[in-house]
Amino acid sequence: MTMRALMLLSILLCSAPTLAYEIGTHAYVSKRAVDGSVLSPTHAKSIVPVMGFERLDAIKPFEARVPPLPNPVRGYFDNAPRPAISIASEDASNIFVRRIQAEEGNIFERLANVGLVPGKDDPTQFDQRLVAWVMRGAVREDDNAVGPFEIGDRDQDPWNVVFRAGRHFYDPINRRGLDEQTFTCPTFGCRPAIDWAAGRTDVLNGPGSLDTSRENHFSWQDARDQYWWALTFNLNPDDPSIHGFNQRIESGYRQLRFATTLKAIGQVIHLVQDMAQPQHARNDSHGPPWTTVFTGDSPTDGAYEAYTEARLFREAVPSQFTNAIRRFDGSLLPRADLPMLRLAGNVPYPVPRFSQVVEYFTTQGTDAAVGARRGMADLANRGFFTASTLPMNIAANKPDDRVNTFLDPPRPSGSAAFYQEGQIAMSLFQNGAVVLKQNLLFAQMPDVLAPNWNAQSGLFGADGRMPILTRSQMFRAADLIATPTPITQDSRFVLSNEVFTAQADAMLPRAVAYSTGLIDYFFRGRLEVTPTAQKAFALLNQGEPHTMDLEGYPRRPDGRIFGFEKVRLAVRNVSEAIVESGPAAPALPQTSPSGVLVAVARYHRNTCYQPDLSGERQSAFAPPSSTGVVTEPDCPPGTTPRTDFQEIATSAPLTVASVADLPGGEGTAGPALPVEKVFDFSADPIPVNATDLFIQVVYRGALGEEPDGIAVGSYDLREPAFVGIWNNTDFYWDADPGSLQWVPQGGLFPWQNAVFLDVCTGAPSRFAWSGGPVAGAPILGIPVPEPGVVRLALLFAIPATPTQQFSIRVTPNMIDAISAPQRSWFTRGAIHQANLETIPAALLDTPQTCPDNPTAGAAIWCKSPIQRRRGQPFGHVLAPVFYDSTNGNTNGQDVDATPVTTFPGLRVAETGTVRYNNDVLADCPLPPLPPQNPEAAALIELLETAADLGIPID
């Protein structure tokens, strides 16, 4: 072992302090970026409701319960890189869970102590929030492994040992990462930050190539993978004995993957923020003072970051992991000499928009002229000097043999007109007894995106100039130099705290804006999910044989989940076209020409559910506008109206082969119309007892110029609404104004058997279900003594207006020429939903009957009751087949409006054909002949259209 290695080992074995190097600045810049991005719930285009994050616990949204572990898991995944992009959940199975650590917790606590984040009295109130996960990534990107040792309280990488700092540099002038050849790069390896951030190689030439052996498992590519798995991870090993146990584990995994996604985003924006530090864009290596023995750097090389961190926390801290910010007499710089860190000006720096990830770092791939480049590294590289790239170093081409390629800012010796010189007073000693004058060179920072922002910000002079160089003491001793040379002239400049202050004030607001822009770019993919014209997403014959297993899943006789197997909806790409920041440029559509489309149903379950609906709330009849008495069910032991964890069902993927398969990409105002899709859930049905149901549609594939983008849309639909259809011809409705009552059948309309039955839905009405005789028995049995019932379950849309209703048209085919008429019945759908993912258990015993979706605020639990009529539970929608004295022109009053004979029981129809699952829907069949007069059929269609439009019908 060499002496140098021994020295390094001895340092690493020393007890590491809890304070870290410059990560506080990264954490706070990241917080400000999140606050201004689509990750904020107050943003006009927030991704929060699309993800359903607003339903989660605001303090610890992604804390996961993963049995058999007794305690909640607060961590994230570290996946080894995949050799290729895959959509399979099995590809995420090679997992390693890393726990949250004290490293970032200490930073959060320090930020709380200075009032920059909540949680001063209780750090646990902040360290798991959504924004904290992004900040955690920004902190953890500075994890640096050296051999088997970790510098500081680091989160050890399970797959490889990486000195990440060697991957945090990019010089856009020479297209290179850190290439220091003295110690760091030869020992630990270095890579360009743009490749390290992207998880790809050659990213300046188009999309680049997937880096399948990447050491960075929190790159942009990894964030994409984790985002996909957070949305779709579902191994679905349907072993009936442990299905619920597995589902709970996978539910926890998805929570952790959302946390991992945000953490990876934080690590990527850390790298953009590094580009806002001029040393990282000018290949000026720097580090804590003790590293200079190995790197050959000057101790002053680390002064800028340490000074900026001291400004953030309002104190200069002595530590072996940071540069002590001291005055000439050796004392630490006092708070009075530490100006507040300013991350915003009088006007916000505009959030940049680019069409490629790499352009947030550099636009050299699209802008040939150096002065036209708009990336973060481009701005920092040409805007400032650094300790190792001062004018003298540029003139001498040392210590970096390519430093003379940095032509901006120009050297003062040849560009006097570029600068204005000013003088300020500085105190030399702590007591301020000795005061010197310090000469500063002021200049305007070139910025293609916002050339006037410095002047508008109020952080600098009215002309936007800022100090970028300080006259050195050699300047004051210039008369001692007999014959000045260009090098001696250039040697007269140094950096000072005033220059560092200006650098941070100029670049950190830009770092916030660029980080915000990159977050927005990550989540820019948006889909619009809407119901079809029929306003129904799915249909199921609830009467098909099924039972409930011990875990609360409905099961068919063959053991498969009993639930909805086809979902039809309309979808289009509403991702906004990108107009790149800078000079006028055309809008770049974010089209989706090739990839896959998957529907994901997110739900809880009502484990009280029973096939005969005895596990539902039941409401008796009451005359309008009264409400019938609601009876709560006696749930079997061990069951609950709502499970305490969210599950998903995933459809088979649909191929997107062209933009026509998923049109759009120009925003919601774009010309593209949505396309209707039928998603196949037959391998993973949505259970008939689903509650809290909402549908996400996820696209993964090419998106604009990104080769592997993701677009998401969601729709919060109604929960299963049960429609009860039965033969009520043992009574007929006397519509005479003087009567208006149900009359037992005499001779006017003898009861008949409904042999066949057609059911349609929507406006225009489409064929949804049909049934016929079973073993010679009519589909609806006979009216007495025990009628049959067809009980369908439908997933309806949410009404768009307070008066909109959706139709269910029932067409019976009676046994002879005298037929009961075709009628439509109307509903706004059923609600079985809470407004939060976790609600108090006691609330489940006192549900509400909510007229609309539950709103935000205090925990709410809505559960629409089914209707009990003639002594039997029929469903949420009552659709009796009956006669009336007007030959079918009225729907009559409720069948319990006057006492009618109760049914001793029901025979539920077990067979039938779900026509709504067909790829192409058929028109609603015509009623049998002779049905009713033609005007009656037209009236039905008119009523259905009026209900869909929300027009009240008297």
Side-chain angles (χ1 to χ4, degrees):
M1 183 178 290
T2 65
M3 180 60 67
R4 177 173 291 178
L6 282 170
M7 291 175 64
L8 177 60
L9 178 59
S10 67
I11 293 172
L12 290 171
L13 290 177
C14 294
S15 59
T18 58
L19 299 177
Y21 176 58
E22 206 253 331
I23 55 181
T25 304
H26 277 296
Y28 188 54
V29 169
S30 299
K31 179 189 183 301
R32 295 289 292 268
V34 171
D35 290 345
S37 77
V38 296
L39 282 174
S40 168
T42 61
H43 193 282
K45 297 179 181 178
S46 176
I47 195 71
V48 168
V50 179
M51 296 291 103
F53 289 164
E54 81 282 6
R55 307 176 186 215
L56 303 178
D57 188 324
I59 305 300
K60 45 187 179 182
F62 308 122
E63 185 176 82
R65 295 190 177 274
V66 183
L69 299 177
N71 298 318
V73 177
R74 298 172 294 169
Y76 52 94
F77 285 112
D78 189 336
N79 278 79
R82 302 296 308 172
I85 295 171
S86 173
I87 66 170
S89 294
E90 289 78 7
D91 289 342
S93 60
N94 187 13
I95 55 177
F96 188 95
V97 178
R98 298 169 72 170
R99 306 302 178 101
I100 62 176
Q101 308 240 339
E103 181 81 348
E104 61 266 27
N106 290 329
I107 292 298
F108 297 158
E109 184 175 358
R110 293 186 70 197
L111 290 170
N113 287 337
V114 292
L116 297 178
V117 301
K120 182 175 182 179
D121 298 324
D122 183 3
T124 63
Q125 294 297 299
F126 182 76
D127 69 351
Q128 291 188 70
R129 294 186 186 216
L130 184 152
V131 65
W133 278 108
V134 180
M135 296 167 68
R136 176 170 286 109
V139 171
R140 299 255 63 117
E141 179 54 34
D142 265 341
D143 284 351
N144 288 310
V146 182
F149 305 101
E150 304 292 328
I151 300 178
D153 180 13
R154 301 302 186 184
D155 196 357
Q156 188 170 1
D157 192 314
W159 307 110
N160 41 247
V161 175
V162 181
F163 188 70
R164 304 182 80 89
R167 284 83 168 161
H168 290 187
F169 291 77
Y170 184 69
D171 165 12
I173 301 298
N174 297 292
R175 294 195 173 199
R176 57 176 177 161
L178 185 66
D179 58 359
E180 176 272 334
Q181 296 302 313
T182 304
F183 179 71
T184 304
C185 293
T187 306
F188 306 121
C190 298
R191 290 196 62 192
I194 55 174
D195 290 344
W196 179 256
R200 291 176 169 265
T201 59
D202 198 27
V203 294
L204 290 176
N205 298 311
S209 302
L210 187 68
D211 185 355
T212 60
S213 60
R214 59 187 179 276
E215 296 173 304
N216 183 13
H217 309 144
F218 300 101
S219 67
W220 183 270
Q221 183 62 54
D222 294 282
R224 279 282 179 240
D225 290 340
Q226 295 294 344
Y227 188 32
W228 173 260
W229 289 324
L231 291 164
T232 66
F233 183 82
N234 187 13
L235 295 175
N236 195 32
D238 193 13
D239 181 343
S241 64
I242 58 171
H243 183 71
F245 180 81
N246 289 336
Q247 286 293 305
R248 184 180 287 274
I249 291 175
E250 292 178 20
S251 178
Y253 281 178
R254 287 188 293 273
Q255 295 296 88
L256 297 180
R257 292 196 183 280
F258 273 125
T260 310
T261 301
L262 298 177
K263 177 182 176 292
I265 290 171
Q267 299 203 211
V268 174
I269 65 173
H270 172 119
L271 298 168
V272 171
Q273 294 160 21
D274 274 348
M275 297 301 99
Q277 208 281 58
Q279 289 173 289
H280 284 263
R282 291 169 77 91
N283 266 21
D284 184 351
S285 62
H286 53 281
W290 54 263
T291 63
T292 59
V293 67
F294 314 113
T295 62
D297 294 332
S298 164
T300 61
D301 282 334
Y304 170 68
E305 291 182 346
Y307 178 70
T308 303
E309 190 90 338
R311 290 179 63 193
L312 174 69
F313 290 120
R314 310 297 294 131
E315 62 176 341
V317 180
S319 168
Q320 70 187 51
F321 283 92
T322 191
N323 290 266
I325 306 301
R326 301 181 183 274
R327 304 180 74 166
F328 289 145
D329 63 354
S331 62
L332 290 174
L333 204 65
R335 176 182 284 236
D337 286 353
L338 289 171
M340 290 282 293
L341 196 61
R342 302 186 289 187
L343 301 189
N346 296 335
V347 295
Y349 188 85
V351 174
R353 300 192 76 200
F354 296 111
S355 60
Q356 301 176 55
V357 174
V358 70
E359 291 184 321
Y360 285 88
F361 293 80
T362 176
T363 62
Q364 61 184 283
T366 53
D367 295 326
V370 172
R373 295 176 185 172
R374 297 158 287 152
M376 192 80 266
D378 303 321
L379 300 184
N381 177 281
R382 68 173 182 261
F384 302 95
F385 294 102
T386 66
S388 294
T389 65
L390 284 165
M392 184 182 79
N393 303 91
I394 293 174
N397 205 24
K398 298 294 183 184
D400 178 357
D401 61 5
R402 279 183 278 184
V403 74
N404 65 357
T405 59
F406 299 155
L407 303 180
D408 298 302
R411 290 156 52 193
S413 59
S415 304
F418 183 78
Y419 298 93
Q420 287 182 358
E421 189 161 348
Q423 195 174 75
I424 64 170
M426 59 170 290
S427 57
L428 182 61
F429 295 112
Q430 186 174 8
N431 61 13
V434 178
V435 177
L436 297 179
K437 298 294 186 180
Q438 182 168 269
N439 288 62
L440 301 173
L441 266 63
F442 293 80
Q444 291 182 339
M445 172 193 168
D447 185 341
V448 182
L449 266 64
N452 298 318
W453 183 82
N454 283 351
Q456 298 166 344
S457 69
L459 303 177
F460 311 102
D463 60 358
R465 291 177 179 268
M466 67 185 70
I468 64 172
L469 285 172
T470 301
R471 290 284 190 181
S472 69
Q473 294 305 307
M474 184 177 289
F475 164 73
R476 297 187 177 278
D479 58 333
L480 301 179
I481 301 175
T483 306
T485 66
I487 288 185
T488 60
Q489 290 290 98
D490 289 329
S491 299
R492 297 176 179 182
F493 304 100
V494 296
L495 303 177
S496 64
N497 288 348
E498 289 71 25
V499 172
F500 289 158
T501 298
Q503 284 188 7
D505 288 353
M507 295 310 294
L508 289 181
R510 289 173 166 86
V512 171
Y514 274 70
S515 298
T516 301
L518 197 52
I519 293 172
D520 291 348
Y521 181 82
F522 186 89
F523 292 109
R524 78 192 185 285
R526 303 295 181 94
L527 304 180
E528 180 185 70
V529 180
T530 53
T532 64
Q534 283 65 55
K535 309 301 190 299
F537 284 78
L539 184 146
L540 171 68
N541 181 4
Q542 189 271 343
E544 292 182 28
H546 62 286
T547 57
M548 293 293 288
D549 69 15
L550 295 178
E551 290 188 308
Y553 289 92
R555 297 280 179 182
R556 294 182 181 273
D558 62 4
R560 294 183 300 121
I561 295 291
F562 177 70
F564 301 92
E565 298 188 357
K566 294 289 183 69
V567 170
R568 61 190 326 118
L569 51 81
V571 63
R572 64 171 175 150
N573 179 1
V574 292
S575 307
E576 293 287 347
I578 293 177
V579 178
E580 290 205 341
S581 300
L588 301 173
Q590 299 302 289
T591 53
S592 40
S594 62
V596 295
L597 202 62
V598 174
V600 179
R602 295 182 176 270
Y603 60 89
H604 293 246
R605 281 176 295 115
N606 171 18
T607 61
C608 296
Y609 168 87
Q610 294 296 321
D612 63 359
L613 300 189
S614 61
E616 305 302 301
R617 303 178 79 206
Q618 297 189 21
S619 178
F621 168 78
S625 60
S626 302
T627 302
V629 175
V630 176
T631 304
E632 303 296 336
D634 292 326
C635 294
T639 64
T640 174
R642 181 182 188 263
T643 50
D644 62 357
F645 66 99
Q646 185 191 79
E647 302 174 59
I648 68 171
T650 52
S651 75
L654 298 178
T655 299
V656 175
S658 70
V659 173
D661 290 332
L662 185 58
E666 303 88 8
T668 55
L673 296 176
V675 291
E676 186 169 318
K677 300 287 185 182
V678 180
F679 289 95
D680 186 355
F681 283 85
S682 58
D684 190 15
I686 305 168
V688 70
N689 61 338
T691 72
D692 300 82
L693 180 62
F694 71 103
I695 297 287
Q696 287 176 328
V697 179
V698 190
Y699 166 81
R700 187 171 189 179
L703 187 65
E705 295 185 17
E706 187 181 8
D708 182 32
I710 292 176
V712 186
S714 67
Y715 188 91
D716 185 359
L717 65 162
R718 295 299 201 208
E719 282 65 48
F722 302 119
V723 179
I725 307 168
W726 75 96
N727 189 335
N728 205 65
T729 60
D730 58 333
F731 282 78
Y732 77 92
W733 175 250
D734 187 348
D736 183 86
S739 181
L740 296 179
Q741 62 180 325
W742 291 95
V743 180
Q745 292 293 355
L748 181 60
F749 298 108
W751 61 261
Q752 297 290 324
N753 296 331
V755 183
F756 297 92
L757 187 72
D758 293 334
V759 179
C760 302
T761 189
S765 194
R766 294 290 183 265
F767 205 4
W769 185 88
S770 64
V774 179
I779 186 66
L780 292 182
I782 59 176
V784 289
E786 184 178 79
V789 60
V790 168
R791 189 181 288 129
L792 305 179
L794 286 94
L795 300 178
F796 283 108
I798 294 178
T801 68
T803 55
Q804 185 180 31
Q805 296 186 84
F806 311 126
S807 62
I808 299 99
R809 186 190 299 186
V810 176
T811 306
N813 190 341
M814 311 303 281
I815 198 167
D816 59 21
I818 302 176
S819 295
Q822 181 185 51
R823 285 187 174 89
S824 278
W825 309 91
F826 303 96
T827 181
R828 290 175 59 80
I831 307 175
H832 285 192
Q833 182 178 317
N835 61 329
L836 302 174
E837 283 298 318
T838 303
I839 59 174
L843 203 59
L844 296 176
D845 297 329
T846 56
Q848 302 179 36
T849 304
C850 299
D852 289 298
N853 271 2
T855 57
I860 297 171
W861 167 232
C862 301
K863 190 176 181 186
S864 302
I866 64 167
Q867 302 299 309
R868 187 178 183 87
R869 296 293 186 272
R870 302 197 68 172
Q872 297 296 326
F874 281 108
H876 299 98
V877 181
L878 305 175
V881 171
F882 66 94
Y883 300 106
D884 65 74
S885 60
T886 63
N887 195 30
N889 287 338
T890 67
N891 275 358
Q893 292 184 14
D894 193 293
V895 294
D896 281 355
T898 57
V900 291
T901 307
T902 59
F903 291 140
L906 293 175
R907 181 178 62 81
V908 182
E910 297 182 350
T911 62
T913 301
V914 178
R915 309 280 183 174
Y916 208 67
N917 286 352
N918 295 346
D919 289 341
V920 178
L921 296 181
D923 292 340
C924 191
L926 296 173
L929 296 174
Q932 49 202 0
N933 56 52
E935 291 79 8
L939 178 61
I940 286 177
E941 293 182 1
L942 180 63
L943 292 173
E944 291 170 344
T945 301
D948 186 64
L949 294 174
I951 300 173
I953 302 297
D954 296 329

